[in-house]
Amino acid sequence: MTGRTGNIDAAWTVALPSFGEMLRRMRDDRGLSRERLAFAAGVSASYIAQLEKGGKAKPTRAVVDSLVRCLRQWNPLSDSDIRYMHDLAGLEIEGYPTVAELRNSISADQLSLLTLHSPKLAALYDTRGNVLAGNEDWAQAFPGLREEGNLYRWMLADPAAREVMADWETDVRQAVGCLRGTVGSTTQHAAFDELMRELGGFADFRRFWAEGGVGFAPPVRTMRLRDRATGALRSFRMQVGLLDSAAHPGHIVATIGLPG
């Protein structure tokens, strides 16, 4: 036996995706000539041809944004299409989304999954620790966090955090290290200015920050939480990962806590 399955044509090759191939497909789907798209986007038809053939360096952000704007005039582009164009051009989507924009980008199916995870703790945050959504089990485990709206402020300012987090100092020190790592991984530092000013008002935050520790959220860690009503101590296996978003990639963090 050769270990091969099915009838595979060894001569067939699958081309890797490219910006030019996607641009040509989108232009063809809309029945646009190169000349018409070029005129609308403010570039030359020869430049469009070179992009489609891969004979030019990858386009600038201004060119991609102009092409997106023009293509949308003839037929809508999905968030996935727009992100894909930026990805193929080697560009990051600029601008840090607001909390409202991130909440609006969460689908109904994703929200329903939070409820279906019960009795696991399930929540969505942005990378600045702002609460986007969470199930009732999560809300009960972290009393007041939903109302506060930000994980870092809640841990430092709400007395309930010290009551329910059995290893408060260890957990907060780790969270501050993760925040340092998050800020260091982005060029959009201004998006963190307001949060850093607020957190700088807490002596504990200044102490942990001055230690210089840096980290990134491990995919799985153990967290001990005390039930505020009964005093019972429970351990949770906390799983953390980025929720891929076509509109706002890299900005939504999913957390799930498994009891036991």
Side-chain angles (χ1 to χ4, degrees):
M1 294 181 63
T2 64
R4 296 176 62 183
T5 303
N7 184 18
I8 300 175
D9 185 351
W12 178 263
T13 58
V14 178
L16 294 175
S18 68
F19 181 87
E21 180 272 332
M22 185 177 188
L23 177 62
R24 181 193 55 74
R25 178 174 57 80
M26 288 186 167
R27 181 176 61 77
D28 288 345
D29 288 347
R30 288 159 177 78
L32 295 173
S33 66
R34 287 173 177 162
E35 290 74 16
R36 191 172 184 185
L37 178 59
F39 179 80
V43 297
S44 67
S46 62
Y47 180 77
I48 296 291
Q50 289 172 348
L51 282 179
E52 292 182 352
K53 295 175 181 177
K56 275 277 187 183
K58 289 185 177 180
T60 65
R61 184 179 304 279
V63 168
V64 174
D65 289 344
S66 181
L67 290 170
V68 166
R69 184 178 63 254
C70 296
L71 290 167
R72 292 173 81 171
Q73 291 178 358
W74 279 276
N75 202 26
L77 289 173
S78 68
D79 289 336
S80 295
D81 286 336
I82 295 172
R83 174 183 169 180
Y84 195 42
M85 288 190 74
H86 281 85
D87 287 347
L88 290 174
L91 302 170
E92 293 183 3
I93 296 178
E94 285 190 328
Y96 206 101
T98 66
V99 174
E101 288 172 335
L102 289 170
R103 284 183 180 143
N104 290 336
S105 73
I106 300 170
S107 69
D109 286 342
Q110 289 169 335
L111 288 175
S112 67
L113 279 176
L114 297 178
T115 302
L116 292 174
H117 273 303
S118 180
K120 300 172 185 175
L121 317 182
L124 301 176
Y125 302 86
D126 74 3
T127 52
R128 293 172 294 189
N130 292 311
V131 176
L132 303 177
N135 65 13
E136 290 305 314
D137 300 275
W138 162 84
Q140 290 178 18
F142 300 96
L145 177 51
R146 176 181 284 166
E147 292 74 18
E148 158 53 46
N150 181 274
L151 177 62
Y152 296 106
R153 288 197 303 263
W154 176 81
M155 289 190 297
L156 292 161
D158 195 328
R162 295 175 187 263
E163 292 181 42
V164 302
M165 295 171 67
D167 306 299
W168 180 88
E169 182 149 339
T170 299
D171 289 340
V172 175
R173 178 180 279 109
Q174 183 183 51
V176 171
C178 288
L179 177 61
R180 182 188 289 275
T182 299
V183 174
S185 68
T186 180
T187 59
Q188 302 180 56
H189 293 164
F192 290 82
D193 285 348
E194 183 178 354
L195 175 65
M196 296 300 292
R197 282 194 298 270
E198 292 177 348
L199 299 183
F202 297 99
D204 286 316
F205 178 82
R206 296 195 300 272
R207 174 165 61 94
F208 295 141
W209 189 264
E211 292 175 357
V214 62
F216 298 92
V220 180
R221 66 186 178 90
T222 299
M223 188 174 192
R224 298 194 304 156
L225 296 173
R226 183 173 289 105
D227 188 297
R228 202 178 187 191
T230 66
L233 194 62
R234 299 172 295 170
S235 291
F236 290 88
R237 297 285 287 171
M238 307 298 292
Q239 298 181 349
V240 180
L242 286 174
L243 181 70
D244 204 7
S245 166
H248 306 295
H251 288 294
I252 299 179
V253 179
T255 300
I256 299 174
L258 287 72

